[in-house]
């Protein structure tokens, strides 16, 4: 097999040679200096040639060897060298590929600290008008341009490679020994900051050399130290190929698969309140090591310009990019951070993202770790001087208008001494204050946290009426304290006199209690109360748990009004009154898990059939007072596949006082059928 000829001197060229060697493909790598040879790993299938070549020498070298293709992996600023390689390959009739470095690091250039220049000459001219020491990190090639002006030269501190040619160029340009920083990279942000501090640097000069050229580490250091940056823009105009595109073309030409084993480390990070000081040490380290950072715009904003950031927080946006990097990146280890506000386990999208990434990472070398953060609840509790282990935690963030969640707030604050509420903004704070005022008690007080952890932070204790004092938009969280919380009623069923009735029929207390037991309700149930009447069954079902959703279905306007009034009187929010005739109104309603049928208007069979169509495993309890309805019950039990069926008669007698005696007075017998439907 013919060799691959690589003109290198960059990380990309070195990694390409290493990948070829891993796959037993031989390559010859041409580097300009001995330092370029020094950084190359020793590989059996890699032959390194050192020394600069002009166009004629390149042509002769190509013609003297047996090469399958020429890959130009030289530095993006070495435009003349690239042009010579291109022309020589054309004359030697060898396929030419330009492995082009990606120099766009996803930075936003709207900061006044960073100024871009077309070339070294224009940059040097601008530096004359600036005061203070200058750290030049552009290498030794263009050093003479910055040294033409004596005053500017005296302010330069030059970081160059620890190689004789570089030091000779420094000497020729008149740079004294104390101005020379001869070091070999890679350079971390910390090292860059140390140099800036040591030499009292006020301005940093760099080339737009991309991630592999240490560009971001320089920018990060300059931003952290508050100094200005002059950037020489990438001069390369010719099109080129990415690392993965070069690999694919080589695979086609060589007829082999070039395997590149990669590892991706994904950190799901709760960033706390927004101030970086509130992040855990582990989370801070994971974020610092990340090459790519995702998150909502507000969350990633502190890292824009210092990291390659993307304002995405949904699986559909992030996973395709991860797939591309796994397929195309030349790095063997890729580190990704996905940021979430607050704590990763408290009303966060972290869990859903973790599940999606776990599924995506199957059969790939992907590790995923969650780093918790400090939630607004924990922060506010500490600031307010209260504990939160016995508090009720809830969120109305993103749940729509106050009317959509007011009942949930009422239920929570009525029965809990402490309720923490995540809100969407100042309007929600106003709404909560107004709601507590309407509840007619002075037992409530609030602690409102505004912009927690930020310089404008406020933590204020106030009465509900004072909530409208908050006018600034921003991040809010509320603690509602109830000095007289109500005990939850645990026994099934309410007293008959707890309901408004008028002339609308109502399922009696003992029947309701038995019906609730026969329904076999559980957390999260969805219940249809068909023929709700006064809404007594609806109310008693809803009072059993805040997680149960009840749909009260009633066709008579007077009964609809009474149901709504009884629901409102009970302070329930998870009840939905539906006016209309069953089963027609079932369309559009959620799939029920249970149904109570207290009134059917002769449509019992049709109602059960519609319920069966919506959920073939629904649990049903129905009552009847007439023998005709009992006959329909029997017909249903014979017609439909049922399990756990029961058909019982209930006879209730109530004592009536007659003088000094109590006489039992019988009420009409009630017939009750309970059963579960099953698939045929």
């Amino acid at each position: 097999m013919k060799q691959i000829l690589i003109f290198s001197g960059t990380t990309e060229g070195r990694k390409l040679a290493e990948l070829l060697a891993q796959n037993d493909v031989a390559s010859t790598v041409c580097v300009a200096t001995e330092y370029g040879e020094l950084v190359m790993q020793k590989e059996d299938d890699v032959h390194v040639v050192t020394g600069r070549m002009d166009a004629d020498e390149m042509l002769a070298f190509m013609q003297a060897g047996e090469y399958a293709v020429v890959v130009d992996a030289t530095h993006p600023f070495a435009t003349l060298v690239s042009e010579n390689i291109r022309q020589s390959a054309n004359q030697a009739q060898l396929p030419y590929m330009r492995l082009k470095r990606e120099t766009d690091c996803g930075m936003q250039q709207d900061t006044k600290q960073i100024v871009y220049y077309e070339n070294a000459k224009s940059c040097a001219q601008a530096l004359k008008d600036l005061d203070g020491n200058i750290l030049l990190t552009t290498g030794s090639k263009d050093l003479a341009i910055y040294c033409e002006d004596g005053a500017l030269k005296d302010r330069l501190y030059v970081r160059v490679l620890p190689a004789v040619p570089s030091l000779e160029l420094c000497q020729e340009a008149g740079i004294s020994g104390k101005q020379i920083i001869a070091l070999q990279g890679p350079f971390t942000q910390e090292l860059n900051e140390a140099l800036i501090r040591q030499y009292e640097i006020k301005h940093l000069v760099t080339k737009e050399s991309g991630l592999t050229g240490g560009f971001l580490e320089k920018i990060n250091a300059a931003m952290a130290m508050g100094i200005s940056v002059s950037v020489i823009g990438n001069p390369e105009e010719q099109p080129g190929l990415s690392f993965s595109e070069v690999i694919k073309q080589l695979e086609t030409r060589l007829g082999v698969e070039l395997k590149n084993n990669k590892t991706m480390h994904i950190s799901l990070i709760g960033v706390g309140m927004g101030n970086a000081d509130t992040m855990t040490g582990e989370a801070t380290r994971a974020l610092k090591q990340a090459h790519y950072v995702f998150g909502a715009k507000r969350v990633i904003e502190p890292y824009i310009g210092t990291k390659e950031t993307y304002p995405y927080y949904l699986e559909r946006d992030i996973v395709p990019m991860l797939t591309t990097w796994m397929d195309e990146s030349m790095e063997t280890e890729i580190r990704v951070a996905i940021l979430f506000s607050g704590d990763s386990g408290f009303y966060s999208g972290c869990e859903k993202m973790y599940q999606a990434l776990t599924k995506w990472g199957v059969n790939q070398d992907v590790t995923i770790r969650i780093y918790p953060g400090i939630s607004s609840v924990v922060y506010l509790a500490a600031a307010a001087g209260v504990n939160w282990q016995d508090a009720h935690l809830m969120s109305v963030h993103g749940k729509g208008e106050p009317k959509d969640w007011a009942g949930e707030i009422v239920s929570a604050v009525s029965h809990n001494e402490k309720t923490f509420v995540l809100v969407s903004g100042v309007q929600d704070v106003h709404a909560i204050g107004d709601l507590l005022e309407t509840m007619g008690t002075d037992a409530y007080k609030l602690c409102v946290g505004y912009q927690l952890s930020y310089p404008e932070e406020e933590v204020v204790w106030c009465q509900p009426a004072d909530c409208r004092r908050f006018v600034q938009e921003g991040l809010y969280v509320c603690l509602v304290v109830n000095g007289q919380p109500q005990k939850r009623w645990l026994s099934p069923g309410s007293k008959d006199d707890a309901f408004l009735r008028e002339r609308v029929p109502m399922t009696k207390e003992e029947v309701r209690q038995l019906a609730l037991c026969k329904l076999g309700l559980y957390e999260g149930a969805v219940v249809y109360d068909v023929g709700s009447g006064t809404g007594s069954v609806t109310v008693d079902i809803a009072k059993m748990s805040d997680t149960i959703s009840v749909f009260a279905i009633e066709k008579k306007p007077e009964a609809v009004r009474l149901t709504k009034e009884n629901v409102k009187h009970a302070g329930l929010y998870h009840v939905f009154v539906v006016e209309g005739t069953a089963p027609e109104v079932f369309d559009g309603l959620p799939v029920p898990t249970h149904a109570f049928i207290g009134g059917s208007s002769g449509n019992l069979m049709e109602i059960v059939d519609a319920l069966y169509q919506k959920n073939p495993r629904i649990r049903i309890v129905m009552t009847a007072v007439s023998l005709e309805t009992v006959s329909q019950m029997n017909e249903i039990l014979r017609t439909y596949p049922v399990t756990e069926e029961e058909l019982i008669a209930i006879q209730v007698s109530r004592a009536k006082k007659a003088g000094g005696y109590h006489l039992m007075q019988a009420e009409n017998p009630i017939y009750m059928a309970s059963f579960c439907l099953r698939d045929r």
Side-chain angles (χ1 to χ4, degrees), residues 207-477:
K207 293 178 179 178
E208 190 181 19
S209 53
L211 288 174
T212 56
F215 181 66
L216 279 182
E217 286 77 6
K218 299 178 196 176
I219 298 296
N220 293 351
M223 297 297 101
M225 300 299 292
I227 68 172
S228 66
V229 183
S230 298
V231 180
I232 313 301
N234 181 7
E236 190 169 18
E237 298 178 354
Q238 294 293 332
L241 303 173
S242 68
F243 190 83
S244 64
E245 290 171 335
V246 168
I247 296 301
K248 290 177 182 177
Q249 290 201 17
L250 288 177
E251 287 179 328
T252 301
R253 290 185 177 277
L254 301 175
V256 297
E257 181 182 2
L258 299 176
K259 296 181 179 180
N260 188 5
N261 297 323
K262 296 178 187 173
T263 299
M264 179 175 284
H265 302 283
I266 304 176
S267 300
L268 306 181
I269 300 175
V271 297
M273 305 308 305
N275 183 334
D277 291 340
T278 65
M279 288 176 60
T280 66
E282 276 195 321
T284 300
R285 286 190 292 273
L287 178 55
K288 196 171 188 178
Q289 295 171 356
H291 305 131
Y292 310 103
V293 178
F294 293 96
K297 186 175 181 180
R298 178 184 68 82
V299 177
I300 65 172
E301 190 170 3
Y303 311 103
I304 293 175
T306 64
K307 288 284 185 182
E308 188 165 349
T309 56
Y310 299 90
Y312 306 136
Y313 53 88
L314 298 177
E315 170 200 352
R316 67 169 184 251
D317 299 315
I318 295 176
V319 168
M321 297 188 71
L322 301 183
T323 302
T324 298
W325 291 333
M326 285 296 280
D327 290 343
E328 299 185 1
S329 174
M330 68 177 182
E331 298 296 333
T332 56
E333 186 177 60
I334 304 168
R335 293 187 175 273
V336 177
I338 305 175
L339 310 187
F340 302 89
S341 61
D343 177 46
S344 54
F346 184 66
Y347 290 102
S348 171
C350 180
E351 181 181 16
K352 186 176 180 181
M353 181 64 69
Y354 179 83
Q355 293 171 349
L357 294 178
T358 300
K359 182 178 179 181
W360 168 79
V362 172
N363 300 324
Q364 300 186 83
D365 192 359
V366 175
T367 61
I368 307 169
R369 181 173 173 187
I370 298 175
Y371 295 86
I374 298 175
S375 72
S376 56
V377 164
V378 173
Y379 192 102
L380 180 61
V386 301
N387 61 52
W388 56 275
Q389 75 264 14
D390 57 345
H392 180 77
L393 310 179
M394 62 181 298
S395 173
V396 299
H397 178 65
K399 289 190 175 181
E401 300 295 322
K403 63 181 178 60
D404 299 320
W405 44 259
E408 186 177 358
I409 292 284
V410 170
S411 177
V413 302
S414 297
H415 298 98
N416 295 280
E417 180 184 352
K418 289 174 283 189
T419 303
F420 286 92
V421 188
L422 303 185
V423 299
S424 295
V426 68
Q427 297 302 322
D428 286 355
V429 177
H430 296 169
I432 290 173
D434 295 345
L435 187 62
L436 295 177
E437 274 198 282
T438 64
M439 295 176 70
T441 175
D442 58 0
Y444 295 106
K445 62 178 180 178
L446 292 94
C447 182
V448 179
Y450 169 69
Q451 294 292 104
L452 298 180
S453 86
Y454 290 95
E456 58 270 32
E457 173 186 303
E458 280 190 279
V459 177
V460 180
W461 284 97
C462 64
Q463 297 299 317
D466 299 326
C467 282
R468 289 196 172 269
R469 60 157 284 186
F470 300 98
V471 295
Q472 296 294 327
E473 286 295 341
L475 304 173
Y476 287 89
V477 61

Side-chain angles (χ1 to χ4, degrees), residues 496-530:
D496 283 347
D497 58 11
F499 299 98
L500 301 173
R501 182 178 177 185
E502 299 179 6
R503 295 185 178 183
V504 175
M506 181 177 73
T507 303
K508 296 298 193 302
E509 178 181 334
E510 293 78 11
V511 178
R512 291 197 307 274
Q513 293 172 352
L514 184 58
L516 262 61
C517 293
K518 295 296 184 182
L519 272 169
L521 297 170
Y522 48 71
E523 296 285 341
V526 177
V527 187
Y528 288 4
D529 178 8
V530 182

Side-chain angles (χ1 to χ4, degrees), residues 3-29:
Q3 292 192 27
I4 306 301
L5 177 58
I6 304 172
F7 284 86
S8 185
T10 61
T11 301
E12 289 83 355
R14 174 172 57 82
K15 288 187 175 292
L16 176 59
E18 292 171 359
L19 176 60
L20 291 172
Q22 291 171 16
N23 290 272
D24 299 322
V25 176
S27 64
T28 294
V29 181

